[in-house]
Amino acid sequence: MKTQALRDTAPMEAAQADGVVTTQWYSALDNRREAFALRHRGYVNASLIEASPFGIYSDVYDELPTTVVAGLFRRGACIATLRLSFYAPGTRSAALPCENVYPEVQGVKDAAQGLVVELSRLSIDPDIKNTRYRARLYAAAIRAGVTACIAMDARHLLVATQTKWQSFYQHVMAFKALGPPQFYPPGDVPVVLLGRALDDELKRRLSRNMFFKIDDAELEELKTLLPSLIAPAKVAV
């Protein structure tokens, strides 16, 4: 899958890393322990959950056939993860985790002209302390998610994120807040729901940003891979 060179600037971390990050995609039927273990470590470090003896964190939405999980790997270790949840108009399943928290989601679903995708559960290795590198890794995870959405011909994007990241989405991709922040499980940290259409204007924005620019070969690879990971009866592409 796609490789990216994300260079550490802290000398200690730079000595341990070659800077190349690859993305692995998982269906609900795959073994996702590495991604869930990283999510667990990140949430425990952020005091969102208590440590589990199993060393993983997942919820019921991870088990839906309309869910895929991305794991970003460096030197064989999962260092970031992101979940994508797909909703196709006309289906009755509650495929979007955010809809049980944010009443505004029903309006998005009712008006949807194609796939709606929620990006959530973004976690980064808490042992990576370099702030600049963490920010780039965060952006790399979002880039992977948006690229996947384009490959699946999604029409609307939703992001549930802590308010401290809200300006990133608004500045880079012109997301808009759909309502006031809520307590999105787990933890008691305010989380805002952002949304926007996945349209030509967003694609132009991404094409002008060297970090987010998507190459054709990567897109074609995802167009082949992702539909095979999602139950065809649940999401039509």
Side-chain angles (χ1 to χ4, degrees):
M1 187 45 63
K2 175 68 177 179
T3 62
Q4 282 186 286
L6 299 180
R7 297 298 175 183
D8 289 316
T9 55
M12 182 176 296
E13 290 179 356
Q16 299 173 355
D18 58 11
V20 176
V21 173
T22 59
T23 303
Q24 178 70 44
W25 290 94
Y26 302 95
S27 76
L29 299 177
D30 291 326
N31 183 345
R32 298 160 292 172
R33 181 173 180 83
E34 289 178 281
F36 292 164
L38 174 61
R39 188 192 289 175
H40 174 266
R41 291 174 54 220
Y43 284 14
V44 169
N45 184 74
S47 299
L48 295 176
I49 61 173
E50 296 292 331
S52 164
F54 301 103
I56 62 172
Y57 179 81
S58 65
D59 61 38
V60 294
Y61 292 97
D62 290 309
E63 308 309 317
L64 295 179
T66 50
T67 294
V68 295
V69 171
L72 279 66
F73 286 79
R74 182 182 65 185
R75 300 186 71 178
C78 186
I79 58 172
T81 183
L82 176 71
R83 178 173 72 188
L84 275 65
S85 302
F86 292 86
Y87 166 78
T91 57
R92 296 189 178 186
S93 61
L96 301 177
C98 62
E99 62 188 290
N100 287 327
V101 180
Y102 303 94
E104 297 83 5
V105 175
Q106 188 59 52
V108 174
K109 292 172 63 177
D110 291 344
Q113 298 299 308
L115 284 180
V116 181
V117 188
E118 178 187 351
L119 285 68
S120 63
R121 297 289 185 241
L122 199 163
S123 300
I124 297 174
D125 186 346
D127 291 337
I128 297 176
K129 305 300 183 183
N130 182 341
T131 302
R132 180 176 296 180
Y133 186 71
R134 286 183 65 85
R136 289 181 63 82
L137 191 55
Y138 188 105
I142 294 301
R143 179 192 178 281
V146 173
T147 304
C149 292
I150 294 174
M152 290 292 290
D153 195 27
R155 301 302 175 87
H156 201 91
L157 301 181
L158 298 171
V159 176
T161 184
Q162 292 185 29
T163 52
K164 66 181 180 181
W165 288 105
Q166 182 173 347
S167 61
F168 164 81
Y169 292 96
Q170 292 175 326
H171 175 70
V172 176
M173 290 179 280
F175 273 82
K176 297 184 183 301
L178 301 185
Q182 306 286 351
F183 292 142
Y184 185 118
D188 57 358
V189 176
V191 172
V192 63
L193 182 69
L194 306 174
R196 69 151 298 148
L198 205 176
D199 53 15
D200 289 340
E201 192 276 332
L202 176 57
K203 294 175 183 178
R204 283 193 294 270
R205 274 179 169 269
L206 297 177
S207 68
R208 293 194 297 265
N209 187 311
M210 291 303 296
F211 186 85
F212 283 89
K213 191 173 182 180
I214 300 166
D215 64 75
D216 292 338
E218 177 186 5
L219 201 58
E220 289 304 313
E221 185 177 2
L222 287 172
K223 285 180 179 180
T224 300
L225 172 66
L226 291 174
S228 69
L229 302 181
I230 304 172
K234 300 296 184 181
V235 176
V237 295

